[in-house]
Amino acid sequence: MIIPLPHTTTGEINRQIIDSRKEGGAFALGRVMTLVIDATGADADYAIDTANVASREHPCRIIVMAPQDGDEDRLDAEIRVGGDAGASEVIVLRPSGEQVNHADTLVTPLLLPDAPIVAWWPAGVPANASETGIGKMAQRRITDTKGEENPGDTLCKLSANYRDGDTDLAWTRVTRWRALLAAALEQVTDRAVSKARIHGDTNSASILLLGAWLQRNLDCEIELTYDDKVAGIQHIVLETPSGEIGIFRPDGHNATLTQPGQPEHVIALPARNLGDCLAEELRRLDADRVYGEVLASYKENR
């Protein structure tokens, strides 16, 4: 159910939420956090659909800032509940005019009391997320450097302004790659990696972060190669005295793991969708300091 609220106020929105609970039951019970989405420059409906997928694992209140064009100082909104909100309740704020510059003021009255706040920017990575109006109130701040025109420069800016609670979905996308590489390396006799070769799509922040992680942990040479015609990471090879360890995923679904002295193994390694990545980041509210250290390492060695 979608309840439109044209030319409204945050007070009226809260009253409408209470009325909706009386009519449809206490659907807000059990919400574990507030997820605030700054959808400026993004497809707001796609961001909402993604958040709804993640909310099935993490029931939450979703507040979406989706500014609209126009000079008139006004706030339009809508409330989505039931089938239109997954396991959440969704509040979409569409400010215009001067109200666009007061996102934190609009969001604050709608936050769940005594619940953690997570902020997500699905597009337009802020240079300093923790200093934005929404970022200041959030325990966790999630950006996404995928699609940035110059991801290397963006990662350097994120490193310079990193604060505990920051993370990026480009980092989340390589979680399974990192786990597989660590497990494979445990099984070789001599783990001194001399070189790591990574091949994948052009302008991939995930490849840059994965390379920085390997360099930081293995103190090895990194070779990155790219192909405009592929999507995602295609393969990683670690050169060790015992032989090469390789993970090859040419089809974006299944990967072949090769290790010295062992038969090849085919493992499921599908490209992760946005909902899965967001759900993973919502599982933790503590600082991802490994991400912060990898960012610093990337900036230092660039």
Side-chain angles (χ1 to χ4, degrees):
M1 178 172 64
I2 299 178
I3 305 169
L5 297 171
H7 217 310
T8 190
T9 64
T10 53
E12 178 58 33
I13 294 170
N14 268 319
R15 284 191 291 273
Q16 186 60 60
I17 291 173
I18 293 171
D19 290 344
S20 298
R21 287 183 194 155
K22 292 177 181 178
E23 294 177 8
F27 57 80
L29 295 179
R31 300 293 182 249
V32 298
M33 69 180 69
T34 303
L35 174 61
V36 182
I37 304 174
D38 185 345
T40 305
D43 183 335
D45 285 328
Y46 180 65
I48 292 169
D49 290 343
T50 300
N52 283 342
V53 171
S55 75
R56 291 181 172 88
E57 183 177 338
H58 312 278
C60 56
R61 171 175 287 181
I62 299 171
I63 303 174
V64 184
M65 287 295 302
Q68 58 185 340
D69 295 332
D71 296 328
E72 183 181 1
D73 187 15
R74 63 179 287 170
L75 173 66
D76 296 332
E78 61 185 49
I79 299 171
R80 303 185 184 187
V81 295
D84 293 292
S88 304
E89 52 189 359
V90 179
I91 304 167
V92 184
L93 303 177
R94 304 187 187 277
S96 62
E98 183 60 28
Q99 298 219 27
V100 172
N101 300 318
H102 301 285
D104 52 340
T105 303
L106 295 175
V107 166
T108 299
L110 304 173
L111 299 171
L112 289 176
D114 302 319
I117 303 165
V118 179
W120 174 38
W121 290 264
V125 178
N128 193 345
S130 64
E131 288 301 313
T132 64
I134 291 174
K136 286 179 179 179
M137 65 178 70
Q139 284 78 31
R140 288 275 283 171
R141 295 166 294 275
I142 304 170
T143 55
D144 192 354
T145 51
K146 182 179 181 179
E148 288 290 300
E149 185 175 347
N150 193 325
D153 287 350
T154 302
L155 292 178
C156 286
K157 291 176 183 177
L158 291 176
S159 175
N161 297 303
Y162 174 81
R163 297 292 183 275
D164 284 352
D166 293 352
T167 195
D168 191 273
L169 295 182
W171 174 245
T172 317
R173 292 184 181 95
V174 298
T175 299
R176 294 176 183 172
W177 288 91
R178 292 189 291 124
L180 284 171
L181 289 169
L185 197 57
E186 284 289 328
Q187 300 179 39
V188 300
T189 305
D190 192 335
R191 301 167 189 167
V193 176
S194 58
K195 186 176 185 179
R197 308 194 308 267
I198 309 175
H199 179 74
D201 53 331
T202 304
N203 278 344
S204 171
S206 293
I207 290 177
L208 298 178
L209 288 170
L210 184 57
W213 176 74
L214 289 169
Q215 187 174 39
R216 171 181 171 274
N217 285 280
L218 302 176
D219 192 25
C220 63
E221 179 186 350
I222 303 295
E223 178 182 287
L224 306 179
T225 57
Y226 304 95
D227 187 340
D228 293 337
K229 299 178 181 178
V230 303
I233 298 172
Q234 295 292 292
H235 69 250
I236 301 174
V237 177
L238 304 182
E239 299 179 5
T240 78
S242 304
E244 291 187 347
I245 298 171
I247 303 176
F248 301 86
R249 189 187 65 176
D251 63 358
H253 299 285
N254 297 309
T256 301
L257 172 64
T258 61
Q259 298 165 279
Q262 295 190 35
E264 293 184 352
H265 300 282
V266 177
I267 51 179
L269 188 61
R272 306 189 69 184
N273 63 48
L274 194 57
D276 288 342
C277 292
L278 182 61
E280 178 180 324
E281 289 304 330
L282 294 182
R283 290 183 197 126
R284 60 181 301 172
L285 295 173
D286 60 319
D288 188 349
R289 292 198 171 92
V290 174
Y291 165 70
E293 291 167 2
V294 169
L295 270 181
S297 178
Y298 173 79
K299 186 173 183 288
E300 180 182 348
N301 293 291
R302 191 181 181 203

